[in-house]
Amino acid sequence: MDKDRKKYKILIVEDNPGDYALIEEYLQELIQAPQLTQAKDFRSAAALLSENKYDIILLDLSLPDKSGENLISGIMAINCDCPVIILTGYADINFGVKSLSMGASDYLLKDELNASTLYKSVIYNIERKKTVADLEASEKRYSDLFHLSPQPMFVYDPDSLAFLDVNQAAITHYGYSREEFLSMTIKQIRPVEDLDKLDKVIENSRINKNTFYRGTFRHLKKNGELIHV
């Protein structure tokens, strides 16, 4: 297998010289030139994280100045962008689950560690972090397009017909507050005599599994004014 040529910046928080040497050996076995930095205690790790960015953190759970849950929470409080892989000699499933709930990306036992499992965890968690970051950026762009649009827009639940979100243009145009919109259904902005037409459109969409339809509808503003949409 060819070595990975990407220059990963990896912070290894480990005070045991033997364990550090083994981790270093495993990483260099499958990565061409990993940029490794060692921190032997929490204080050193905190200082490094405040001044540098890393692709991933490998964290031993027993350091001279902090350990266990306090160590994980301390690292997570400083680091918000980088995935953290816990490396421990203790096979405690419950604590492993707890560490993941605290924000750790993975939990590996040192006794079961080898070059392949460590490499796979490093790559998987780096890529997952990038995917999540891309998704969050995409969601923000969509949110901005929705909320900043000059056209009135809203999102509703296709089953309950309740409003789920509205943009500022809709609030301004219809006259309802955001709180009022979110307590209503789309039927409440329709004239009573148009509800049968609305029900038919919705039913046809469900039967044909359409997620899109177009047409001209009559809506009511809060002040009773009738508008064509």
Side-chain angles (χ1 to χ4, degrees):
M1 178 179 176
D2 293 335
K3 289 189 176 182
D4 191 330
R5 296 181 179 277
K6 292 183 180 179
K7 298 184 181 298
Y8 302 104
K9 291 187 65 175
I10 302 173
L11 175 62
I12 304 174
V13 187
E14 173 64 73
D15 66 317
N16 185 300
D19 286 347
Y20 176 80
L22 193 60
I23 294 168
E24 182 182 35
E25 180 183 331
Y26 285 155
L27 291 170
Q28 291 175 344
E29 186 173 328
L30 294 176
I31 301 174
Q32 183 70 35
Q35 300 178 20
L36 307 180
T37 303
Q38 182 183 13
K40 296 182 179 180
D41 53 36
F42 172 76
R43 183 176 180 181
S44 300
L48 287 166
L49 287 169
S50 67
E51 298 176 357
N52 303 277
K53 289 188 175 182
Y54 297 93
D55 294 310
I56 202 156
I57 299 169
L58 305 181
L59 178 65
D60 177 48
L61 280 183
S62 300
L63 299 179
D65 55 350
K66 204 178 283 282
S67 63
E69 290 185 25
N70 288 335
L71 174 58
I72 296 173
S73 60
I75 290 292
M76 299 310 299
I78 302 165
N79 165 68
C80 58
D81 296 324
C82 179
V84 177
I85 297 175
I86 304 295
L87 300 179
T88 179
Y90 302 103
D92 186 337
I93 297 299
N94 290 330
F95 187 81
V97 173
K98 179 66 178 293
S99 69
L100 296 177
S101 71
M102 295 175 69
S105 299
D106 207 350
Y107 185 90
L108 303 178
L109 297 178
K110 290 181 179 179
D111 290 344
E112 299 176 359
L113 203 62
N114 58 48
S116 179
T117 56
L118 181 57
Y119 174 73
K120 287 178 181 178
S121 181
V122 166
I123 300 307
Y124 171 76
N125 285 293
I126 287 175
E127 291 304 316
R128 183 174 65 177
K129 184 68 177 180
K130 289 179 181 177
T131 300
V132 170
D134 290 344
L135 179 60
E136 290 175 346
S138 176
E139 288 177 345
K140 184 180 185 306
R141 286 194 297 272
Y142 172 80
S143 178
D144 288 345
L145 285 172
F146 176 81
H147 287 288
L148 300 179
S149 172
Q151 298 295 329
M153 301 172 70
F154 53 77
V155 181
Y156 69 91
D157 185 302
D159 295 319
S160 69
L161 305 185
F163 286 103
L164 300 177
D165 201 0
V166 293
N167 68 356
Q168 184 57 48
I171 293 170
T172 301
H173 193 64
Y174 284 81
Y176 293 102
S177 68
R178 177 179 176 80
E179 290 71 24
E180 287 175 320
F181 261 121
L182 298 184
S183 68
M184 298 162 56
T185 72
I186 62 171
K187 287 190 172 185
Q188 291 173 267
I189 61 168
R190 307 296 178 104
V192 174
E193 58 270 24
D194 290 1
L195 293 182
D196 284 343
K197 177 184 177 182
L198 175 62
D199 287 337
K200 289 177 182 177
V201 169
I202 294 171
E203 185 61 26
N204 286 335
S205 295
R206 288 172 176 165
I207 293 172
N208 298 317
K209 297 183 179 179
N210 292 333
T211 57
F212 171 83
Y213 62 84
R214 68 173 61 190
T216 301
F217 303 92
R218 300 196 305 170
H219 285 191
L220 286 172
K221 293 185 177 182
K222 184 177 180 179
N223 64 7
E225 180 185 348
L226 192 67
I227 58 174
H228 289 82
V229 178

